Structure formats: C-alpha cells, structure tokens
Amino acid sequence: RLNAFGNWLRQGVHATAYFLTDRDGGVLIDEVQSPKLHQVARTLAQASRTANRQAGAAAIGNLHIKISPDSSLEVIPVTTLYGPLVLGIIVPKPIKPENVEIIARALQQVMDGKSSS
C-alpha cells in the first residue's frame, strides 16, 4: 500500500522521493536516505503539533523548508491508528494547503487500512 501511495505522490505533487517515520524516528519507508532530513522533519512536525495545540486547532499542520535551489522538504504530521507519523516529501515547490489535506487523509487511509471508495 505504501508503494502505491508513493507512486500517487509522484504523480500528484511531482514528489521526487518521500519518507515516513514514527514520532520516535523509526523509519517505515525511506527513499531519501538522509537521517538529517528525518530529524529536521520530526522537529518541524513537533513544532507544528505544539503550535496547533496552543492555538486550539485541529487542522492539519504542515511545514516546508527549501533544501536546494530546486527542491523543498514538505513535512506533514499525520495521526493514524498506529500513532503519530511524520511524512516527508521532496518536491520541486511547496505543496498547496488544500493538497496537503488530501495527502494527509490519503496516508491515514493507507495506514488505517481503509479504501478510498
């Protein structure tokens, strides 16, 4: 299911690679092979969760940083039945907020074993 999700990311947001870690840094899938980017993503995800908690928001929070002149790391924290996960996606430009929400819901469905029908 995660491979199909990765293919969908490549088609939908022109992702060049992605990774998925748990809150503690355990790697579930890794096309990036960069522990440094995993750590950056976990730090950004925690900052997003903290900001949302302080604001009383339940919205999906994402953050992105430029990692090279032609790519960004998009970080999307997602809560699943298995607990909080951190999705890191390498993309040519930041993902639009409405697409972030679609991606987060799709990952939840993949991880929770639900079909999108």
Side-chain angles (χ1 to χ4, degrees), residues 5 18 27 29 51 53 55 58 67 69 78 84 88 92 99 103 110 114:
F5 177 75
Y18 80 105
V27 178
I29 193 160
R53 240 190 340 267
I67 57 172
V78 179
N99 291 338
I103 291 167
V110 166
K114 298 175 185 168

Side-chain angles (χ1 to χ4, degrees), residues 41-106:
R42 282 195 317 277
T43 301
L44 289 173
Q46 186 58 44
S48 176
R49 282 188 199 98
T50 301
N52 282 343
R53 240 190 340 267
Q54 289 175 349
I60 295 168
N62 71 300
L63 298 163
H64 51 262
I65 59 167
K66 197 128 182 98
I67 57 172
S68 76
D70 57 352
S71 63
S72 293
L73 170 63
E74 191 79 36
V75 177
I76 306 172
V78 179
T79 302
T80 70
L81 291 175
Y82 301 98
L85 301 177
V86 178
L87 174 62
I89 311 169
I90 307 298
V91 289
K93 59 183 180 181
I95 299 172
K96 294 178 182 176
E98 59 270 19
N99 291 338
V100 167
E101 194 167 331
I102 291 167
I103 291 167
R105 285 204 171 90

